[in-house]
Amino acid sequence: MAESMKKLDSTSEKDFSSAGYLVCGSCQNKYTIAPLIRCPECGGRLEYSITANSGCQWIEARNLNHMAFSPFYPMPDSSRQKPVTLGEGGTPLVHCRHLNDFPFPSQLYVKDEALNPTGSWKDRALSLVVSCAVGFGSRCVVLYSCGNAGSSAAAYSAKAGLRCVVFALPSIRKNMVDRIRSLGGIVIALRVTPWELWVEGKVGDLLETAQKEFGWFPANTIRNPFVGSPYYTEGYKSIAFETVLQLGTAPDWVIVPAGSGEGLCGIWKGFLETQRLGRINMLPKMVAVQAEGAAPLVRAFKEGLQTIPPISKAATIACGIEVLTGSESALTTLRESGGCAVSIPDVEIQEVCTRLARQEGLHVSPEGAAAVAGAIQLRRAGVISTRDSALCISTAGRTKYSKSPPMLEASLKVAVPPNLSDIERYVRPLLN
């Protein structure tokens, strides 16, 4: 790797990058910007902290785009000067006025992330990840995904001239495999169960081992407890920055579909930094929305837990939030912001999908519909008032969610055992 990690003490800010440094939320150790996905000493979650002398100012961008906010991202200096971008960000804020027989806030907005280059909010995270991979000298990006993150990673890797390897469950849909491969990505369906993925952390082990053994840069992490990579999570901050510029202030509520909850955490961090810079006075309340068939975060929040016990199985039409566990940092975000967590049945998600298309012209993914359904549920319960403004994040468009068969049922490649030697044998001829 081109850049090496250096541990810092409280007196060594002169050694920080031009913008900031990484700090562990558990042990408080500080590190230079380096290819770390979690704290090397305690395994804790790393966040980006902007130094007082960084010169970061609020950016009044007339033409919004994600990389206009690069001073606020953890990036090597070389990547900050020449980021990998496809023009992501700057997505519209749609004021919904016509959900005519639903009780909903009069100021209900949808942030339509389907208009990003590969059709989802993952482009924000992956443009940052791939920019960092280039700056760190990596030649390959690796991640776990069964859909949007994989196609996004493949697209940005192609733009940067890097290779991209996507670990997936055998249940990945054929249309997602085809999309990733069309962008030059290599899909490896691993012989693992959802329990081994989310609870036992077998794929997380592979991601970290691939970094050590092959020099591949991990875009995300799959751990229990879940610890997200700063280079992935902090890419979502630009949603908050853009929203403030589009509305002129922060909304009262921000409703986010949540799987692991990393998007929720990143958006909240963006609002915190915006307040710190004096651009807004009040912070929004954050809401995590999950499907009833996959709601470990909702259960942990409602039971007042500090951790997220895994559920035994998950099933929902909103496959992007079909998880067995999630990020404890998401729990912290909900409580710190004064927000809450709600779950939505699949039938209601489907109903809201249809209503948004026919009454607002928005062809949103099931996850985006779940966010709007969450706002409606909270309005019905009197939690959100008619005077409140509510922003719902629609993470992707519905056209990407075709009913194609699972990869293995389509008689494509067999699943690969979850060990590095088998993966290397499978991937070596494809990387050459």
Side-chain angles (χ1 to χ4, degrees):
M1 295 275 182
E3 304 220 2
S4 59
M5 177 271 290
K6 180 180 180 182
K7 185 178 175 183
L8 305 164
D9 60 40
S10 59
T11 64
S12 60
E13 286 206 2
K14 60 180 173 46
D15 294 323
F16 296 162
S17 81
S18 62
Y21 56 93
L22 300 176
V23 59
C24 176
S26 299
C27 68
Q28 302 304 309
N29 279 328
K30 299 174 184 178
Y31 304 95
T32 52
I33 302 300
L36 301 172
I37 56 174
R38 56 194 180 112
C39 178
E41 295 209 8
C42 73
R45 181 188 186 90
L46 294 171
E47 288 194 8
Y48 181 55
S49 182
I50 301 170
T51 59
N53 62 355
S54 67
C56 284
Q57 301 294 323
W58 181 254
I59 300 166
E60 297 287 354
R62 181 169 295 179
N63 296 313
L64 297 176
N65 67 82
H66 174 67
M67 279 300 172
F69 304 101
S70 64
F72 299 91
Y73 306 145
M75 300 171 74
D77 288 339
S78 59
S79 298
R80 202 180 306 282
Q81 294 164 11
K82 194 174 180 181
V84 180
T85 178
L86 292 170
E88 62 288 336
T91 56
L93 207 60
V94 180
H95 188 188
C96 295
R97 305 171 188 269
H98 305 298
L99 298 177
N100 45 27
D101 51 359
F102 277 145
F104 65 95
S106 59
Q107 299 181 72
L108 179 67
Y109 298 90
V110 170
K111 185 75 164 156
D112 189 2
E113 291 292 287
L115 297 184
N116 279 301
T118 76
S120 86
W121 69 337
K122 300 293 184 181
D123 289 349
R124 298 177 185 268
L126 270 303
S127 65
L128 176 56
V129 166
V130 174
S131 294
C132 291
V134 172
F136 293 141
S138 178
R139 295 185 177 182
C140 182
V141 170
V142 62
L143 72 159
Y144 163 76
S145 174
C146 275
N148 290 327
S151 60
S152 181
Y156 284 90
S157 295
K159 177 68 174 177
L162 306 185
R163 301 310 305 267
C164 177
V165 174
V166 181
F167 295 153
L169 291 177
S171 57
I172 184 173
R173 313 302 293 188
K174 182 180 180 299
N175 67 306
M176 290 297 188
V177 175
D178 292 342
R179 185 178 179 88
I180 294 167
R181 287 178 173 169
S182 72
L183 292 162
I186 298 169
V187 181
I188 303 178
L190 295 174
R191 196 179 299 164
V192 295
T193 65
W195 184 266
E196 290 171 326
L197 168 72
W198 292 107
V199 182
E200 295 181 11
K202 285 190 174 181
V203 177
D205 290 340
L206 285 175
L207 290 168
E208 294 187 26
T209 306
Q211 182 182 25
K212 293 174 184 175
E213 298 295 324
F214 302 154
W216 296 355
F217 186 62
N220 56 11
T221 61
I222 306 294
R223 285 281 165 201
N224 182 30
F226 194 96
V227 178
S229 163
Y231 304 110
Y232 183 88
T233 305
E234 304 234 354
Y236 293 107
K237 294 194 298 189
S238 59
I239 290 178
F241 301 150
E242 288 179 16
T243 297
V244 170
L245 289 172
Q246 288 168 313
L247 286 179
T249 186
D252 297 302
W253 299 84
V254 177
I255 299 104
V256 186
S260 64
E262 290 306 291
L264 176 89
C265 294
I267 295 170
W268 174 239
K269 181 94 180 293
F271 281 114
L272 287 173
E273 291 181 359
T274 306
Q275 184 193 50
R276 213 168 288 137
L277 289 165
R279 187 59 178 76
I280 57 174
N281 296 320
M282 300 295 293
L283 290 165
K285 296 179 176 66
M286 304 295 293
V287 178
V289 179
Q290 295 191 305
E292 280 191 353
L297 176 60
V298 176
R299 185 182 70 177
F301 178 81
K302 290 185 174 179
E303 293 180 3
L305 304 178
Q306 300 304 311
T307 60
I308 304 177
I311 57 177
S312 59
K313 61 181 180 178
T316 173
I317 61 170
C319 56
I321 54 174
E322 188 178 273
V323 297
L324 298 185
T325 186
S327 169
E328 293 171 9
S329 295
L331 275 177
T332 301
T333 291
L334 297 177
R335 290 168 178 149
E336 189 177 84
S337 71
C340 61
V342 297
S343 59
I344 307 294
D346 275 4
V347 64
E348 194 170 326
I349 292 173
Q350 186 61 58
E351 181 183 5
V352 173
C353 269
T354 301
R355 291 294 185 92
L356 284 169
R358 294 180 180 177
Q359 297 177 343
E360 296 290 346
L362 291 172
H363 212 215
V364 306
S365 66
E367 296 82 9
V372 176
I376 292 167
Q377 183 186 113
L378 292 171
R379 172 69 194 98
R380 283 174 172 157
V383 177
I384 296 178
S385 78
T386 54
R387 298 181 301 276
D388 289 342
S389 57
L391 170 67
C392 299
I393 309 301
S394 176
T395 56
R398 197 172 179 184
T399 54
K400 298 179 77 175
Y401 290 68
S402 73
K403 295 181 179 179
S404 67
M407 177 176 168
L408 293 188
E409 289 182 14
S411 300
L412 296 176
K413 298 293 184 182
V414 297
V416 176
N419 62 72
L420 214 57
S421 58
D422 284 294
I423 289 169
E424 185 178 21
R425 279 194 295 271
Y426 178 85
V427 80
R428 187 188 299 118
L430 300 174
L431 284 174
N432 295 332

